[in-house]
Amino acid sequence: MSEGTTTRAENPRQHRMEAEPHAIRARRGTRIGYLLKCFPRISETFVLNEVLELERQGFDLRIYSMNTPQEAVTHGLSAGVRSPIEYLPHPLATGHRYALAHLELFARHPLRYLATLSSVLLTSMSFAGRGGFFGTTACVRFGTGGFCWRLRRVVLLALAPDLMGRFVQAGLLARSLRRDGVQHLHAGFVHHPGSVAWILHRITGLSFSLAAHAKDYVHSPPDLLRKALRQAT
């Protein structure tokens, strides 16, 4: 880094509250899992700076990414991340690993596992059944005539696999967190990472915290958003 260059990671007084949220600050000395949808991403330098600042302050982090980055370019600062990063495989690519992880999770917490699975299914179907944010009217016109219909059924088919996919990933992540001795899970976003953290909390009791951003309020099912925010610590 050139002399005189100042980055957010080098200015802790200005960015301390952003880089060290209360839920994480209260757990200094605890091994923390940091869950992200994809890390690193060139468009999310604020996340990268937060990770670097937490490391600078001595936090014990383990980073878990739900997807492997596909970008051809990465930020130069990402080379400075010291914490181990684990990329969760796509559920369809390594189904046997997920199946074994879920069998272990069910054996450890059978009642909470079934209750959480039911809640995930009901949340998906409830949101889709109301049309959600995507319950718009589609029309096909033929000259002066035509017909319109509500896209509710399509939403149900799109949303249920989405949330269920996060439930599947949560099973393998639970195994990794247990292996790594993680005592608290922080989700960098509410929508995808936050729902996985909430699912894990429901099944295992692991405490979790959330970072909310504008798009989280647009993309998250309202019922799930309320549940996750209410149970986060």
Side-chain angles (χ1 to χ4, degrees), residues 40 86 134 173 211 219:
E86 178 176 341
F134 306 100
L173 180 59
H219 295 294

Side-chain angles (χ1 to χ4, degrees), residues 130-190:
R130 294 195 301 271
F133 299 115
F134 306 100
T136 55
T137 300
C139 298
V140 176
R141 301 194 180 280
F142 304 94
T144 58
F147 59 92
C148 301
W149 72 96
R150 297 283 290 178
L151 297 178
R152 294 179 184 270
R153 189 174 302 276
V154 174
V155 173
L156 176 60
L157 295 174
L159 279 179
D162 181 50
L163 191 54
M164 278 305 300
R166 285 174 255 160
F167 180 86
V168 172
Q169 281 195 310
L172 189 60
L173 180 59
R175 173 191 276 183
S176 297
L177 297 176
R178 188 169 60 251
R179 177 201 64 206
D180 296 340
V182 169
Q183 299 161 285
H184 177 81
L185 183 62
H186 178 70
F189 291 84
V190 172

Side-chain angles (χ1 to χ4, degrees), residues 14-186:
Q14 180 179 354
H15 301 285
R16 183 176 299 274
M17 291 309 295
E18 179 179 347
E20 193 180 349
H22 174 74
I24 294 182
R25 185 168 63 250
R27 291 173 171 81
R28 189 183 293 275
T30 298
R31 177 162 292 178
I32 298 169
Y34 201 131
L35 179 62
L36 294 156
K37 184 178 180 181
C38 188
F39 182 83
R41 296 186 71 177
I42 196 69
S43 61
E44 296 175 357
T45 53
F46 60 95
V47 174
L48 175 59
N49 281 313
E50 181 172 295
V51 168
L52 291 171
E53 176 61 18
L54 289 170
E55 290 183 337
R56 191 196 68 80
Q57 294 183 30
F59 284 88
D60 185 8
L61 300 180
R62 295 293 185 274
I63 300 172
Y64 304 92
S65 177
M66 298 169 62
N67 296 285
T68 302
Q70 302 297 323
E71 298 170 329
V73 179
T74 58
H75 199 291
L77 288 176
S78 62
V81 175
R82 301 187 305 272
S83 302
I85 304 174
E86 178 176 341
Y87 295 98
L88 301 179
H90 193 281
L92 297 180
T94 54
H96 65 284
R97 290 183 58 188
Y98 281 97
L100 291 174
H102 274 270
L103 285 174
E104 291 178 8
L105 195 57
F106 176 75
R108 289 174 176 269
H109 314 280
L111 296 180
R112 298 181 68 164
Y113 182 97
L114 293 175
T116 303
L117 177 58
S118 298
S119 182
V120 166
L121 291 172
L122 289 174
T123 299
S124 295
M125 296 175 68
S126 174
F127 178 59
R130 294 195 301 271
F133 299 115
F134 306 100
T136 55
T137 300
C139 298
V140 176
R141 301 194 180 280
F142 304 94
T144 58
F147 59 92
C148 301
W149 72 96
R150 297 283 290 178
L151 297 178
R152 294 179 184 270
R153 189 174 302 276
V154 174
V155 173
L156 176 60
L157 295 174
L159 279 179
D162 181 50
L163 191 54
M164 278 305 300
R166 285 174 255 160
F167 180 86
V168 172
Q169 281 195 310
L172 189 60
L173 180 59
R175 173 191 276 183
S176 297
L177 297 176
R178 188 169 60 251
R179 177 201 64 206
D180 296 340
V182 169
Q183 299 161 285
H184 177 81
L185 183 62
H186 178 70

